[in-house]
Each structure stands twice: as C-alpha cells, then as structure tokens.
Amino acid sequence: MKKVRLGLALGGGAARGLAHIGVLQALEDCKVPIGLIAGASMGAIIGAIYAMEPSAAGLQQHFAEYLDSDAFKESRFYQLMERKNDGAGVFERLMHLAWKGLFLSLVMTRKSYFGDNLSEQNFARLIPDVDMSQTRIPFCASALDLVSGQETVLSRGSLRRAVAASCAIPGLLPPVVEGEKILVDGGWINAVPVSAARRQGASLVVGVDVSGDLPPFSGAGRALEIAGRADSITRWALGLERARAADLLLRPENEQAHWADFSQMEEAVASGRRAAEAQMAEIQRLLRRQRRWAWLGC
C-alpha cells in the first residue's frame, strides 16, 4: 500500500510567521502525523527547528529565548517598522527622516543592510549546524536563484545554510552563494511552497499562508513608494496563485501591526492555533480519503 505523507508548506511573513507555531500545536494536539515540511523564509526557520525536534512547546520556548537574546537585540530588526508621525514632535520626525535616509544610503552602497557577520550570528543562535539528513522530519527550504530566475528547493547539505538562503530578504540580508547560484528569500518566488512539498513526496499538502491581505494604498506617494507598491502586488498575486495548489490552505487572521514586529508572539501563535483548529475536521477528512485511495492502490 502506498504510504500517505502529509506535507506542511509553511509560508513567509517574518513576524507573522510565528503563527506557524500555533498551527503545529494544534496538529500535535490532534495527533496529525506530519510526513514532511517545506518552508519559505520565516516558514523555513520555524519548519527547520521543528523538523529537528518535533515539539511545538520546545519550538515556542526556543524562539522566545532567541527574541530575548543579544543576537536578536543587536540586529535592531525593529527599526524596519513603519513609524506613524501623527502627533510626533519635531525631533522624532527628524530622527525618522534620518533613519530612512540612512537605510536607503546603506542599501544603495552594499549588498545588504544587515552584514554577513550579524546574519551569521543570528542564524547560529536559531538553527543548529547539522546536515539536513539529520532532521527527524524530512525538511526542505525554498529559495530564489537570482541567476536563473528559478525556484531552488534545498533538501541536502547544511540545514543552517539552507535556511539562511531561504530567509535572505533582498536588500536586508546577504544572499547565499551555492556554486553558480545566488540565492535569496524563497518567498519572492513561492510564498507558500506547496510545489516544493509535492516534489519531496507529499501526497497531501496543507499550506499555511501568513502574508495577509494586500494593504490599502492611497494612490499618492513618491516614486520609491509607487515602485514598492507595484512589487508588493506582483509578489502577492503570484503567492496567491501558487498557494491554490494546496489541498487545504490555512490563513491565520493575524493582526500583527507590522511584519517586523516580533513583540506580539503570543497573539501570533494563538492566531495560528485558531486557524488550524477551525479546519481540523477537514484535515482529518482529507487524510482519511488519502488513506482509502492508498489502500485501493489509486
């Protein structure tokens, strides 16, 4: 009888990706067997940690400790959050403008805002330096190759390096070079890596999309904001189209104020748990159907 393998495709979304922890909690509670995990960007981080040690409680504790670590604090990731100027004093507004100018000047003069050393320090704090064959649950990470323009699915070699490639947000984190490939964040080509999970042998794929809806746009703005909006629409539309290939797509209602805001971990985890629990009957129904088909040899 053909084995039924449920694959989880965990999408990117930075801080919103903490909702993946809640999804894993719900699946654990209902004893849903996870056959493999495919991750993109934050989904790759969460998926890799869980694949090494399949414990949602342990995963949440590990991530909470990381967010409280010097490595995370030194990254000053919070600086990437948009800041509202309504009611702000003159000094605060000037500091905001200076920050935006500094950020733009840095990304225009080097390959990434965060340097190699800081990036390596943070991934070393999060992901063990082991071969991907050592994970207890089969795992793969999605990345975008800037040379070929194609998705690269990483399932062999260094686990830490695969996750670093999948999380290399263009302009923010340094690309990872693998031979002739220059790899960046997989979310730019496949926000919810459903196809990667299928290529690794999943017979049933549950996708988790934490990207949220396209935010409102006033129609006004400067050239950089207009260009950024067009890029966001392209990635959002591509992500929706590719995610439709999942047998079931979970979309946690995450009200995180900003993708760079990691201060609301409990709320994000709870949103993922609610989304999975709401669809648990359907997940179990799909598993039963797959098992019947496998027993019949279909």
Side-chain angles (χ1 to χ4, degrees), residues 190-241:
N190 202 356
V192 183
V194 175
S195 58
R198 293 208 191 279
R199 284 159 61 181
Q200 296 302 306
S203 52
L204 173 67
V205 179
V206 174
V208 186
D209 180 7
V210 296
S211 61
D213 296 323
L214 193 67
F217 185 62
S218 65
R222 289 164 292 186
L224 188 62
E225 293 167 336
I226 293 170
R229 176 64 172 185
D231 175 71
S232 296
I233 291 171
T234 300
R235 290 190 291 110
W236 176 76
L238 177 62
L240 281 181
E241 185 62 31

Side-chain angles (χ1 to χ4, degrees), residues 14-227:
R16 297 171 186 142
L18 295 173
H20 294 317
I21 299 173
V23 171
L24 291 164
Q25 286 178 353
L27 293 174
E28 269 189 16
D29 289 348
C30 293
K31 296 181 171 53
V32 174
I34 301 172
L36 62 92
I37 300 173
S41 199
M42 179 56 79
I45 294 178
I46 299 295
I49 298 171
Y50 190 81
M52 279 297 299
E53 185 59 45
S55 164
L59 167 60
Q60 185 167 357
Q61 180 179 352
H62 179 71
F63 218 96
E65 290 171 354
Y66 164 70
L67 294 178
D68 194 43
S69 70
D70 291 338
F72 179 74
K73 291 173 183 176
E74 288 173 13
S75 72
R76 297 186 178 180
F77 205 71
Y78 64 87
Q79 289 184 332
L80 299 174
M81 288 190 292
E82 292 292 335
R83 301 170 188 178
K84 295 182 179 178
N85 285 323
D86 295 340
V90 173
F91 179 75
E92 185 177 347
R93 293 188 185 202
L94 288 174
M95 288 298 292
H96 178 54
L97 291 173
W99 150 244
K100 291 187 74 173
L102 173 63
F103 174 76
L104 291 174
S105 65
L106 285 174
V107 297
M108 292 298 287
T109 57
R110 62 191 195 189
K111 65 181 178 181
S112 63
Y113 175 70
F114 297 113
D116 290 326
N117 290 339
L118 190 59
S119 176
E120 290 170 4
Q121 180 183 353
N122 277 270
F123 283 114
R125 184 67 177 75
L126 274 169
I127 309 295
D129 190 16
V130 299
D131 191 87
M132 295 178 78
S133 62
Q134 296 182 40
T135 60
R136 292 173 59 184
I137 297 174
F139 170 79
C140 67
S142 171
L144 168 62
D145 176 21
L146 294 179
V147 177
S148 67
Q150 300 294 315
E151 179 184 17
T152 294
V153 178
L154 303 164
S155 59
R156 299 176 185 173
S158 167
L159 180 66
R160 184 183 294 170
R161 193 167 175 81
V163 172
S166 185
C167 295
I169 303 172
L172 295 183
L173 293 170
V176 172
V177 178
E178 287 287 344
E180 296 181 353
K181 296 180 178 181
I182 301 176
L183 303 175
V184 296
D185 194 318
W188 254 250
I189 188 70
N190 202 356
V192 183
V194 175
S195 58
R198 293 208 191 279
R199 284 159 61 181
Q200 296 302 306
S203 52
L204 173 67
V205 179
V206 174
V208 186
D209 180 7
V210 296
S211 61
D213 296 323
L214 193 67
F217 185 62
S218 65
R222 289 164 292 186
L224 188 62
E225 293 167 336
I226 293 170

Side-chain angles (χ1 to χ4, degrees), residues 251-274:
R251 301 194 75 202
E253 293 183 5
N254 198 333
E255 297 181 357
Q256 291 271 141
H258 194 274
W259 59 267
D261 182 6
F262 284 87
S263 67
Q264 302 177 54
M265 182 175 183
E266 295 294 333
E267 292 87 344
V269 171
S271 72
R273 187 183 186 100
R274 287 193 298 270

